[in-house]
Amino acid sequence: MQFTIVTFGCQMNERDSRALANILVNQGYNEVSDPSKADILIINTCTVRQHAEDRAISNLGRFLKDKKHQIIGLMGCVAERRKEELIKRFDKLDFVVGPSKFEEIPRIIDDIIKNRSDGVVLYGESEPHPAKWGITEAIKGISSWVTIMTGCDNYCSYCIVPYVRGRMRSLKEDIIYKELENLQEAGYKEATLLGQNVNAYGRDLNGNRNFTDLLIKIDKEKYLKRIRFVSSHPAFVDDYFIDNVTALQTICPHYHLPLQSGDNSVLFNMNRKYTIESFFEKVEKLRKKRPNCSITSDLIVGLPTEDDKSFSRTLEFIKRIRFDSMHTFAYSKREATAAYKFGDTIPFNIKKQRLKEVNKLQQQISLEINNSLIGKIVEVLIEGPSPKNKNEYQGRTETNKIVIVKSEKNITGEIVDVMIERAGSYTLFGKRDFF
Ligand code: SAM
Ligand code: SF4
Ligand code: F3S
């Protein structure tokens, strides 16, 4: 039997989909990329913003409309949030399984095939078993995800993640080392350590310096050439982290620190537990310790308490801090979160206008920072052929910048030195033969 998993949402969902695919392949199923050829179709969903949830449901509706003899199931964060409601609404839907329970899906499919069950709904928290997941590659043979913690205990006032992914749960160190060892043996070059609040790693196990200690140990073993990690919470970045991690050879000098707002009163309402002053100080220290590092961020515009003045302060702070790049989002009201009761008071056209302004500013800053790299030599891990032009390959710098480089020979998987010749806001262009 053939299966397809259609994935929406963040890296956690990407990884859960890869893990489930590996388990299904081990049980004799074949993975196909075309949903119309699949006997089993699974949609892995995201609910972080209403738009993401609407997309998942509209895709589900489309697949169910064409359903003949297929098994169709929904997994991920929408499954957790909507639970039984979806099974009642879509009578052709075979299962709805929350993100902590995806390891049960092969058994559920087996039961459905054997006519033992129908309309299965499974949600709630569970212990993950990554040892069963195999290599959950991001790019086959080159880069992989390694989950080090699941869930989140932060309860930022706007965010639904803690309600759908559950309490923070750190994986035991030995499980993480074993996985990195497997990647090393398989010849992988890069791993990204994953967690919604990755630098809080270990706080539920013991002590409070565990994330930094984990990175120190990983670096000491030199498992892979490059170790990345996402997403860090700025409040958990301390001097111990800054002093140590910036000096580690295999830990990439790319720090993704979601700012969310550049106004202290909005940050307080978001329950972010830092101020723009403390954020700025941490970024300055990181840049001082690791001068060529990159700092990227996330930002939300249009929280109910963000007035014109707070938004102007955010623009001023972005000019001052100069991130390498930023993901920006319009606030979306999520049921069950603390901010839900304040409604969604900023009109859509104002949110859109603010997004436009902040994106324009960030594009300019990104371009200026990228232009400053022209003439410099950077190390690029080549991920594969460029989707646009023949004889061009695409890769990333240690600082997570995309680089396009010309090459007659296939250099996929190699780490090559590239001289930057040209830059855009999102991409760098360079050559290899610069001697
Ligand atoms: N745990 C990560 C963190 O704290 O940065 C990622 C959280 S979420 C998956 C990714 C981004 O979505 C957040 O950083 C935030 O900018 C944005 N986001 C979360 N909830 C949102 C909401 N209700 N409306 C708009 N954007 C939201
Ligand atoms: Fe959501 Fe905040 Fe947790 Fe990130 S840290 S997942 S924004 S609650
Ligand atoms: Fe979305 Fe769930 Fe990730 S809500 S962002 S898929 S944790």
Side-chain angles (χ1 to χ4, degrees), residues 297-301 311 314-315 318 324-330 351-367 425-426:
S297 201
D298 291 351
L299 191 91
I300 303 175
V301 301
F311 180 65
T314 293
L315 290 177
I318 287 164
D324 288 79
S325 66
M326 198 164 57
H327 296 294
T328 56
F329 307 98
K351 285 185 196 165
K352 234 170 103 179
Q353 181 54 34
R354 287 182 185 169
L355 272 184
K356 211 168 137 190
E357 271 185 66
V358 83
N359 288 340
K360 190 171 162 223
L361 172 61
Q362 183 56 50
Q363 261 179 30
Q364 183 55 34
I365 295 170
S366 298
L367 184 64
S425 294
Y426 306 106

PDB file of all heavy atoms in Angstrom, residues 297-301 311 314-315 318 324-330 351-367 425-426:
ATOM      1  N   SER A 297      15.047  36.842  13.720  1.00  0.00           N
ATOM      2  CA  SER A 297      13.979  37.023  14.706  1.00  0.00           C
ATOM      3  C   SER A 297      12.583  36.770  14.118  1.00  0.00           C
ATOM      4  O   SER A 297      12.442  36.600  12.905  1.00  0.00           O
ATOM      5  CB  SER A 297      14.063  38.447  15.261  1.00  0.00           C
ATOM      6  OG  SER A 297      13.420  38.523  16.492  1.00  0.00           O
ATOM      7  N   ASP A 298      11.604  36.753  15.011  1.00  0.00           N
ATOM      8  CA  ASP A 298      10.176  36.716  14.635  1.00  0.00           C
ATOM      9  C   ASP A 298       9.515  37.950  15.236  1.00  0.00           C
ATOM     10  O   ASP A 298       9.919  38.403  16.322  1.00  0.00           O
ATOM     11  CB  ASP A 298       9.453  35.504  15.246  1.00  0.00           C
ATOM     12  CG  ASP A 298       9.893  34.173  14.665  1.00  0.00           C
ATOM     13  OD1 ASP A 298      10.636  34.163  13.677  1.00  0.00           O
ATOM     14  OD2 ASP A 298       9.473  33.143  15.222  1.00  0.00           O
ATOM     15  N   LEU A 299       8.488  38.446  14.560  1.00  0.00           N
ATOM     16  CA  LEU A 299       7.786  39.626  15.064  1.00  0.00           C
ATOM     17  C   LEU A 299       6.290  39.486  14.771  1.00  0.00           C
ATOM     18  O   LEU A 299       5.912  39.020  13.700  1.00  0.00           O
ATOM     19  CB  LEU A 299       8.327  40.870  14.349  1.00  0.00           C
ATOM     20  CG  LEU A 299       7.897  42.190  14.944  1.00  0.00           C
ATOM     21  CD1 LEU A 299       8.912  42.660  15.983  1.00  0.00           C
ATOM     22  CD2 LEU A 299       7.752  43.261  13.871  1.00  0.00           C
ATOM     23  N   ILE A 300       5.477  39.898  15.741  1.00  0.00           N
ATOM     24  CA  ILE A 300       4.022  39.903  15.516  1.00  0.00           C
ATOM     25  C   ILE A 300       3.543  41.350  15.524  1.00  0.00           C
ATOM     26  O   ILE A 300       3.891  42.104  16.439  1.00  0.00           O
ATOM     27  CB  ILE A 300       3.285  39.129  16.636  1.00  0.00           C
ATOM     28  CG1 ILE A 300       3.806  37.698  16.746  1.00  0.00           C
ATOM     29  CG2 ILE A 300       1.776  39.135  16.394  1.00  0.00           C
ATOM     30  CD1 ILE A 300       3.209  36.904  17.906  1.00  0.00           C
ATOM     31  N   VAL A 301       2.773  41.746  14.507  1.00  0.00           N
ATOM     32  CA  VAL A 301       2.172  43.090  14.551  1.00  0.00           C
ATOM     33  C   VAL A 301       0.671  42.951  14.784  1.00  0.00           C
ATOM     34  O   VAL A 301       0.071  41.948  14.393  1.00  0.00           O
ATOM     35  CB  VAL A 301       2.418  43.910  13.254  1.00  0.00           C
ATOM     36  CG1 VAL A 301       3.906  44.083  12.982  1.00  0.00           C
ATOM     37  CG2 VAL A 301       1.721  43.271  12.049  1.00  0.00           C
ATOM     38  N   PHE A 311       3.925  50.695  17.883  1.00  0.00           N
ATOM     39  CA  PHE A 311       4.450  50.189  16.611  1.00  0.00           C
ATOM     40  C   PHE A 311       5.655  51.026  16.151  1.00  0.00           C
ATOM     41  O   PHE A 311       6.657  50.482  15.674  1.00  0.00           O
ATOM     42  CB  PHE A 311       3.359  50.149  15.533  1.00  0.00           C
ATOM     43  CG  PHE A 311       3.887  49.628  14.232  1.00  0.00           C
ATOM     44  CD1 PHE A 311       4.334  48.314  14.125  1.00  0.00           C
ATOM     45  CD2 PHE A 311       3.989  50.455  13.115  1.00  0.00           C
ATOM     46  CE1 PHE A 311       4.874  47.830  12.930  1.00  0.00           C
ATOM     47  CE2 PHE A 311       4.523  49.976  11.920  1.00  0.00           C
ATOM     48  CZ  PHE A 311       4.962  48.659  11.834  1.00  0.00           C
ATOM     49  N   THR A 314       8.611  49.909  17.898  1.00  0.00           N
ATOM     50  CA  THR A 314       9.107  48.648  17.329  1.00  0.00           C
ATOM     51  C   THR A 314       9.981  48.937  16.115  1.00  0.00           C
ATOM     52  O   THR A 314      11.075  48.385  15.979  1.00  0.00           O
ATOM     53  CB  THR A 314       7.914  47.725  16.948  1.00  0.00           C
ATOM     54  OG1 THR A 314       7.284  47.340  18.155  1.00  0.00           O
ATOM     55  CG2 THR A 314       8.354  46.491  16.191  1.00  0.00           C
ATOM     56  N   LEU A 315       9.519  49.844  15.237  1.00  0.00           N
ATOM     57  CA  LEU A 315      10.319  50.185  14.048  1.00  0.00           C
ATOM     58  C   LEU A 315      11.675  50.772  14.460  1.00  0.00           C
ATOM     59  O   LEU A 315      12.711  50.410  13.906  1.00  0.00           O
ATOM     60  CB  LEU A 315       9.572  51.192  13.165  1.00  0.00           C
ATOM     61  CG  LEU A 315       8.339  50.670  12.426  1.00  0.00           C
ATOM     62  CD1 LEU A 315       7.672  51.813  11.661  1.00  0.00           C
ATOM     63  CD2 LEU A 315       8.691  49.548  11.454  1.00  0.00           C
ATOM     64  N   ILE A 318      13.974  48.048  15.677  1.00  0.00           N
ATOM     65  CA  ILE A 318      14.486  47.208  14.577  1.00  0.00           C
ATOM     66  C   ILE A 318      15.632  47.930  13.846  1.00  0.00           C
ATOM     67  O   ILE A 318      16.617  47.312  13.467  1.00  0.00           O
ATOM     68  CB  ILE A 318      13.339  46.798  13.630  1.00  0.00           C
ATOM     69  CG1 ILE A 318      12.492  45.760  14.362  1.00  0.00           C
ATOM     70  CG2 ILE A 318      13.830  46.223  12.308  1.00  0.00           C
ATOM     71  CD1 ILE A 318      11.151  45.541  13.767  1.00  0.00           C
ATOM     72  N   ASP A 324      19.588  40.129  10.962  1.00  0.00           N
ATOM     73  CA  ASP A 324      19.958  39.669   9.615  1.00  0.00           C
ATOM     74  C   ASP A 324      18.709  39.391   8.787  1.00  0.00           C
ATOM     75  O   ASP A 324      18.683  39.646   7.581  1.00  0.00           O
ATOM     76  CB  ASP A 324      20.812  38.402   9.704  1.00  0.00           C
ATOM     77  CG  ASP A 324      22.197  38.735  10.212  1.00  0.00           C
ATOM     78  OD1 ASP A 324      22.348  38.915  11.438  1.00  0.00           O
ATOM     79  OD2 ASP A 324      23.130  38.851   9.375  1.00  0.00           O
ATOM     80  N   SER A 325      17.699  38.807   9.431  1.00  0.00           N
ATOM     81  CA  SER A 325      16.411  38.619   8.752  1.00  0.00           C
ATOM     82  C   SER A 325      15.341  38.419   9.805  1.00  0.00           C
ATOM     83  O   SER A 325      15.660  38.231  10.995  1.00  0.00           O
ATOM     84  CB  SER A 325      16.453  37.415   7.795  1.00  0.00           C
ATOM     85  OG  SER A 325      16.614  36.229   8.540  1.00  0.00           O
ATOM     86  N   MET A 326      14.103  38.455   9.370  1.00  0.00           N
ATOM     87  CA  MET A 326      13.018  38.375  10.342  1.00  0.00           C
ATOM     88  C   MET A 326      11.776  37.759   9.684  1.00  0.00           C
ATOM     89  O   MET A 326      11.468  38.048   8.535  1.00  0.00           O
ATOM     90  CB  MET A 326      12.710  39.812  10.785  1.00  0.00           C
ATOM     91  CG  MET A 326      11.941  39.900  12.052  1.00  0.00           C
ATOM     92  SD  MET A 326      12.013  41.564  12.749  1.00  0.00           S
ATOM     93  CE  MET A 326      11.385  42.560  11.447  1.00  0.00           C
ATOM     94  N   HIS A 327      11.079  36.880  10.421  1.00  0.00           N
ATOM     95  CA  HIS A 327       9.758  36.412   9.988  1.00  0.00           C
ATOM     96  C   HIS A 327       8.739  37.310  10.668  1.00  0.00           C
ATOM     97  O   HIS A 327       8.791  37.471  11.893  1.00  0.00           O
ATOM     98  CB  HIS A 327       9.498  34.971  10.451  1.00  0.00           C
ATOM     99  CG  HIS A 327      10.430  33.981   9.839  1.00  0.00           C
ATOM    100  ND1 HIS A 327      10.425  33.695   8.502  1.00  0.00           N
ATOM    101  CD2 HIS A 327      11.375  33.200  10.388  1.00  0.00           C
ATOM    102  CE1 HIS A 327      11.335  32.785   8.245  1.00  0.00           C
ATOM    103  NE2 HIS A 327      11.945  32.466   9.372  1.00  0.00           N
ATOM    104  N   THR A 328       7.806  37.842   9.886  1.00  0.00           N
ATOM    105  CA  THR A 328       6.820  38.747  10.483  1.00  0.00           C
ATOM    106  C   THR A 328       5.409  38.191  10.291  1.00  0.00           C
ATOM    107  O   THR A 328       5.114  37.571   9.264  1.00  0.00           O
ATOM    108  CB  THR A 328       6.915  40.138   9.839  1.00  0.00           C
ATOM    109  OG1 THR A 328       6.754  39.979   8.416  1.00  0.00           O
ATOM    110  CG2 THR A 328       8.249  40.797  10.127  1.00  0.00           C
ATOM    111  N   PHE A 329       4.563  38.400  11.290  1.00  0.00           N
ATOM    112  CA  PHE A 329       3.220  37.829  11.257  1.00  0.00           C
ATOM    113  C   PHE A 329       2.199  38.860  11.721  1.00  0.00           C
ATOM    114  O   PHE A 329       2.501  39.688  12.588  1.00  0.00           O
ATOM    115  CB  PHE A 329       3.125  36.623  12.202  1.00  0.00           C
ATOM    116  CG  PHE A 329       4.196  35.587  11.957  1.00  0.00           C
ATOM    117  CD1 PHE A 329       5.344  35.554  12.744  1.00  0.00           C
ATOM    118  CD2 PHE A 329       4.075  34.667  10.930  1.00  0.00           C
ATOM    119  CE1 PHE A 329       6.342  34.615  12.521  1.00  0.00           C
ATOM    120  CE2 PHE A 329       5.068  33.723  10.706  1.00  0.00           C
ATOM    121  CZ  PHE A 329       6.196  33.690  11.496  1.00  0.00           C
ATOM    122  N   ALA A 330       0.975  38.755  11.166  1.00  0.00           N
ATOM    123  CA  ALA A 330      -0.134  39.563  11.675  1.00  0.00           C
ATOM    124  C   ALA A 330      -0.777  38.779  12.806  1.00  0.00           C
ATOM    125  O   ALA A 330      -0.985  37.567  12.684  1.00  0.00           O
ATOM    126  CB  ALA A 330      -1.143  39.809  10.557  1.00  0.00           C
ATOM    127  N   LYS A 351      -3.065  46.145  10.315  1.00  0.00           N
ATOM    128  CA  LYS A 351      -2.054  45.082  10.479  1.00  0.00           C
ATOM    129  C   LYS A 351      -1.259  44.935   9.187  1.00  0.00           C
ATOM    130  O   LYS A 351      -0.034  44.815   9.200  1.00  0.00           O
ATOM    131  CB  LYS A 351      -2.737  43.741  10.783  1.00  0.00           C
ATOM    132  CG  LYS A 351      -3.277  43.613  12.180  1.00  0.00           C
ATOM    133  CD  LYS A 351      -3.786  42.176  12.325  1.00  0.00           C
ATOM    134  CE  LYS A 351      -4.679  42.010  13.498  1.00  0.00           C
ATOM    135  NZ  LYS A 351      -5.455  40.780  13.470  1.00  0.00           N
ATOM    136  N   LYS A 352      -1.997  44.951   8.063  1.00  0.00           N
ATOM    137  CA  LYS A 352      -1.346  44.773   6.759  1.00  0.00           C
ATOM    138  C   LYS A 352      -0.359  45.905   6.484  1.00  0.00           C
ATOM    139  O   LYS A 352       0.754  45.682   6.013  1.00  0.00           O
ATOM    140  CB  LYS A 352      -2.421  44.755   5.658  1.00  0.00           C
ATOM    141  CG  LYS A 352      -2.336  43.511   4.789  1.00  0.00           C
ATOM    142  CD  LYS A 352      -3.524  43.381   3.893  1.00  0.00           C
ATOM    143  CE  LYS A 352      -3.197  43.790   2.485  1.00  0.00           C
ATOM    144  NZ  LYS A 352      -4.327  43.659   1.575  1.00  0.00           N
ATOM    145  N   GLN A 353      -0.788  47.125   6.814  1.00  0.00           N
ATOM    146  CA  GLN A 353       0.069  48.295   6.616  1.00  0.00           C
ATOM    147  C   GLN A 353       1.330  48.191   7.477  1.00  0.00           C
ATOM    148  O   GLN A 353       2.444  48.461   7.028  1.00  0.00           O
ATOM    149  CB  GLN A 353      -0.747  49.556   6.964  1.00  0.00           C
ATOM    150  CG  GLN A 353      -0.016  50.874   6.796  1.00  0.00           C
ATOM    151  CD  GLN A 353       0.581  51.030   5.383  1.00  0.00           C
ATOM    152  OE1 GLN A 353       0.009  50.565   4.386  1.00  0.00           O
ATOM    153  NE2 GLN A 353       1.759  51.652   5.301  1.00  0.00           N
ATOM    154  N   ARG A 354       1.144  47.752   8.749  1.00  0.00           N
ATOM    155  CA  ARG A 354       2.306  47.623   9.650  1.00  0.00           C
ATOM    156  C   ARG A 354       3.258  46.546   9.138  1.00  0.00           C
ATOM    157  O   ARG A 354       4.470  46.713   9.199  1.00  0.00           O
ATOM    158  CB  ARG A 354       1.828  47.294  11.075  1.00  0.00           C
ATOM    159  CG  ARG A 354       1.192  48.483  11.734  1.00  0.00           C
ATOM    160  CD  ARG A 354       0.762  48.213  13.164  1.00  0.00           C
ATOM    161  NE  ARG A 354       0.054  49.387  13.664  1.00  0.00           N
ATOM    162  CZ  ARG A 354      -0.640  49.420  14.784  1.00  0.00           C
ATOM    163  NH1 ARG A 354      -0.731  48.340  15.544  1.00  0.00           N
ATOM    164  NH2 ARG A 354      -1.242  50.525  15.168  1.00  0.00           N
ATOM    165  N   LEU A 355       2.687  45.443   8.649  1.00  0.00           N
ATOM    166  CA  LEU A 355       3.541  44.375   8.103  1.00  0.00           C
ATOM    167  C   LEU A 355       4.366  44.912   6.934  1.00  0.00           C
ATOM    168  O   LEU A 355       5.556  44.643   6.826  1.00  0.00           O
ATOM    169  CB  LEU A 355       2.685  43.207   7.590  1.00  0.00           C
ATOM    170  CG  LEU A 355       2.302  42.100   8.573  1.00  0.00           C
ATOM    171  CD1 LEU A 355       1.542  40.994   7.850  1.00  0.00           C
ATOM    172  CD2 LEU A 355       3.527  41.506   9.269  1.00  0.00           C
ATOM    173  N   LYS A 356       3.680  45.687   6.080  1.00  0.00           N
ATOM    174  CA  LYS A 356       4.351  46.240   4.900  1.00  0.00           C
ATOM    175  C   LYS A 356       5.531  47.122   5.320  1.00  0.00           C
ATOM    176  O   LYS A 356       6.631  46.995   4.797  1.00  0.00           O
ATOM    177  CB  LYS A 356       3.326  47.068   4.105  1.00  0.00           C
ATOM    178  CG  LYS A 356       3.575  47.083   2.630  1.00  0.00           C
ATOM    179  CD  LYS A 356       2.379  47.650   1.912  1.00  0.00           C
ATOM    180  CE  LYS A 356       2.863  48.585   0.836  1.00  0.00           C
ATOM    181  NZ  LYS A 356       1.806  49.364   0.240  1.00  0.00           N
ATOM    182  N   GLU A 357       5.273  47.972   6.325  1.00  0.00           N
ATOM    183  CA  GLU A 357       6.325  48.905   6.780  1.00  0.00           C
ATOM    184  C   GLU A 357       7.503  48.167   7.377  1.00  0.00           C
ATOM    185  O   GLU A 357       8.663  48.454   7.076  1.00  0.00           O
ATOM    186  CB  GLU A 357       5.754  49.845   7.854  1.00  0.00           C
ATOM    187  CG  GLU A 357       5.138  51.076   7.293  1.00  0.00           C
ATOM    188  CD  GLU A 357       4.692  52.016   8.392  1.00  0.00           C
ATOM    189  OE1 GLU A 357       5.547  52.550   9.122  1.00  0.00           O
ATOM    190  OE2 GLU A 357       3.467  52.196   8.536  1.00  0.00           O
ATOM    191  N   VAL A 358       7.195  47.193   8.237  1.00  0.00           N
ATOM    192  CA  VAL A 358       8.260  46.488   8.937  1.00  0.00           C
ATOM    193  C   VAL A 358       9.037  45.610   7.947  1.00  0.00           C
ATOM    194  O   VAL A 358      10.266  45.502   8.034  1.00  0.00           O
ATOM    195  CB  VAL A 358       7.674  45.739  10.167  1.00  0.00           C
ATOM    196  CG1 VAL A 358       7.076  44.419   9.832  1.00  0.00           C
ATOM    197  CG2 VAL A 358       8.709  45.569  11.233  1.00  0.00           C
ATOM    198  N   ASN A 359       8.361  45.020   6.985  1.00  0.00           N
ATOM    199  CA  ASN A 359       9.048  44.179   5.997  1.00  0.00           C
ATOM    200  C   ASN A 359       9.958  45.010   5.104  1.00  0.00           C
ATOM    201  O   ASN A 359      11.062  44.594   4.768  1.00  0.00           O
ATOM    202  CB  ASN A 359       8.045  43.411   5.126  1.00  0.00           C
ATOM    203  CG  ASN A 359       7.361  42.296   5.910  1.00  0.00           C
ATOM    204  OD1 ASN A 359       7.881  41.868   6.939  1.00  0.00           O
ATOM    205  ND2 ASN A 359       6.219  41.838   5.446  1.00  0.00           N
ATOM    206  N   LYS A 360       9.469  46.216   4.743  1.00  0.00           N
ATOM    207  CA  LYS A 360      10.281  47.101   3.897  1.00  0.00           C
ATOM    208  C   LYS A 360      11.578  47.490   4.625  1.00  0.00           C
ATOM    209  O   LYS A 360      12.669  47.422   4.069  1.00  0.00           O
ATOM    210  CB  LYS A 360       9.456  48.352   3.552  1.00  0.00           C
ATOM    211  CG  LYS A 360      10.079  49.202   2.510  1.00  0.00           C
ATOM    212  CD  LYS A 360       9.124  50.293   2.043  1.00  0.00           C
ATOM    213  CE  LYS A 360       9.917  51.371   1.345  1.00  0.00           C
ATOM    214  NZ  LYS A 360       9.530  52.710   1.702  1.00  0.00           N
ATOM    215  N   LEU A 361      11.409  47.841   5.900  1.00  0.00           N
ATOM    216  CA  LEU A 361      12.571  48.218   6.703  1.00  0.00           C
ATOM    217  C   LEU A 361      13.540  47.039   6.827  1.00  0.00           C
ATOM    218  O   LEU A 361      14.748  47.178   6.633  1.00  0.00           O
ATOM    219  CB  LEU A 361      12.092  48.673   8.098  1.00  0.00           C
ATOM    220  CG  LEU A 361      13.168  48.920   9.138  1.00  0.00           C
ATOM    221  CD1 LEU A 361      14.121  50.033   8.705  1.00  0.00           C
ATOM    222  CD2 LEU A 361      12.535  49.284  10.489  1.00  0.00           C
ATOM    223  N   GLN A 362      13.003  45.854   7.149  1.00  0.00           N
ATOM    224  CA  GLN A 362      13.873  44.694   7.340  1.00  0.00           C
ATOM    225  C   GLN A 362      14.586  44.317   6.043  1.00  0.00           C
ATOM    226  O   GLN A 362      15.765  43.972   6.060  1.00  0.00           O
ATOM    227  CB  GLN A 362      13.083  43.499   7.896  1.00  0.00           C
ATOM    228  CG  GLN A 362      13.948  42.283   8.183  1.00  0.00           C
ATOM    229  CD  GLN A 362      15.110  42.570   9.121  1.00  0.00           C
ATOM    230  OE1 GLN A 362      14.917  43.156  10.184  1.00  0.00           O
ATOM    231  NE2 GLN A 362      16.327  42.194   8.732  1.00  0.00           N
ATOM    232  N   GLN A 363      13.866  44.406   4.914  1.00  0.00           N
ATOM    233  CA  GLN A 363      14.486  44.081   3.611  1.00  0.00           C
ATOM    234  C   GLN A 363      15.694  44.967   3.353  1.00  0.00           C
ATOM    235  O   GLN A 363      16.724  44.518   2.878  1.00  0.00           O
ATOM    236  CB  GLN A 363      13.477  44.315   2.492  1.00  0.00           C
ATOM    237  CG  GLN A 363      12.805  43.040   2.037  1.00  0.00           C
ATOM    238  CD  GLN A 363      11.800  43.335   0.948  1.00  0.00           C
ATOM    239  OE1 GLN A 363      11.953  44.272   0.165  1.00  0.00           O
ATOM    240  NE2 GLN A 363      10.758  42.533   0.898  1.00  0.00           N
ATOM    241  N   GLN A 364      15.542  46.238   3.683  1.00  0.00           N
ATOM    242  CA  GLN A 364      16.639  47.195   3.489  1.00  0.00           C
ATOM    243  C   GLN A 364      17.830  46.828   4.381  1.00  0.00           C
ATOM    244  O   GLN A 364      18.973  46.787   3.916  1.00  0.00           O
ATOM    245  CB  GLN A 364      16.106  48.615   3.820  1.00  0.00           C
ATOM    246  CG  GLN A 364      17.086  49.734   3.609  1.00  0.00           C
ATOM    247  CD  GLN A 364      17.656  49.756   2.180  1.00  0.00           C
ATOM    248  OE1 GLN A 364      16.956  49.417   1.226  1.00  0.00           O
ATOM    249  NE2 GLN A 364      18.923  50.117   2.055  1.00  0.00           N
ATOM    250  N   ILE A 365      17.537  46.519   5.663  1.00  0.00           N
ATOM    251  CA  ILE A 365      18.614  46.162   6.605  1.00  0.00           C
ATOM    252  C   ILE A 365      19.288  44.870   6.142  1.00  0.00           C
ATOM    253  O   ILE A 365      20.521  44.775   6.122  1.00  0.00           O
ATOM    254  CB  ILE A 365      18.056  46.015   8.047  1.00  0.00           C
ATOM    255  CG1 ILE A 365      17.533  47.365   8.544  1.00  0.00           C
ATOM    256  CG2 ILE A 365      19.123  45.449   8.994  1.00  0.00           C
ATOM    257  CD1 ILE A 365      16.735  47.305   9.845  1.00  0.00           C
ATOM    258  N   SER A 366      18.490  43.857   5.749  1.00  0.00           N
ATOM    259  CA  SER A 366      19.060  42.570   5.294  1.00  0.00           C
ATOM    260  C   SER A 366      19.969  42.803   4.093  1.00  0.00           C
ATOM    261  O   SER A 366      21.048  42.227   4.002  1.00  0.00           O
ATOM    262  CB  SER A 366      17.951  41.592   4.893  1.00  0.00           C
ATOM    263  OG  SER A 366      17.143  41.295   5.992  1.00  0.00           O
ATOM    264  N   LEU A 367      19.497  43.666   3.168  1.00  0.00           N
ATOM    265  CA  LEU A 367      20.292  43.945   1.972  1.00  0.00           C
ATOM    266  C   LEU A 367      21.626  44.593   2.346  1.00  0.00           C
ATOM    267  O   LEU A 367      22.682  44.208   1.847  1.00  0.00           O
ATOM    268  CB  LEU A 367      19.499  44.843   1.014  1.00  0.00           C
ATOM    269  CG  LEU A 367      20.163  45.140  -0.312  1.00  0.00           C
ATOM    270  CD1 LEU A 367      20.333  43.876  -1.134  1.00  0.00           C
ATOM    271  CD2 LEU A 367      19.340  46.157  -1.120  1.00  0.00           C
ATOM    272  N   SER A 425      18.314  40.734  -0.675  1.00  0.00           N
ATOM    273  CA  SER A 425      17.875  40.733   0.723  1.00  0.00           C
ATOM    274  C   SER A 425      17.808  39.326   1.291  1.00  0.00           C
ATOM    275  O   SER A 425      17.996  39.117   2.480  1.00  0.00           O
ATOM    276  CB  SER A 425      16.484  41.359   0.834  1.00  0.00           C
ATOM    277  OG  SER A 425      16.533  42.707   0.496  1.00  0.00           O
ATOM    278  N   TYR A 426      17.499  38.342   0.420  1.00  0.00           N
ATOM    279  CA  TYR A 426      17.298  36.978   0.923  1.00  0.00           C
ATOM    280  C   TYR A 426      18.382  36.009   0.488  1.00  0.00           C
ATOM    281  O   TYR A 426      18.473  34.907   1.032  1.00  0.00           O
ATOM    282  CB  TYR A 426      15.945  36.428   0.445  1.00  0.00           C
ATOM    283  CG  TYR A 426      14.798  37.324   0.785  1.00  0.00           C
ATOM    284  CD1 TYR A 426      14.163  38.088  -0.192  1.00  0.00           C
ATOM    285  CD2 TYR A 426      14.366  37.440   2.100  1.00  0.00           C
ATOM    286  CE1 TYR A 426      13.115  38.941   0.131  1.00  0.00           C
ATOM    287  CE2 TYR A 426      13.327  38.285   2.442  1.00  0.00           C
ATOM    288  CZ  TYR A 426      12.703  39.035   1.442  1.00  0.00           C
ATOM    289  OH  TYR A 426      11.680  39.880   1.772  1.00  0.00           O
TER     290      TYR A 426
END
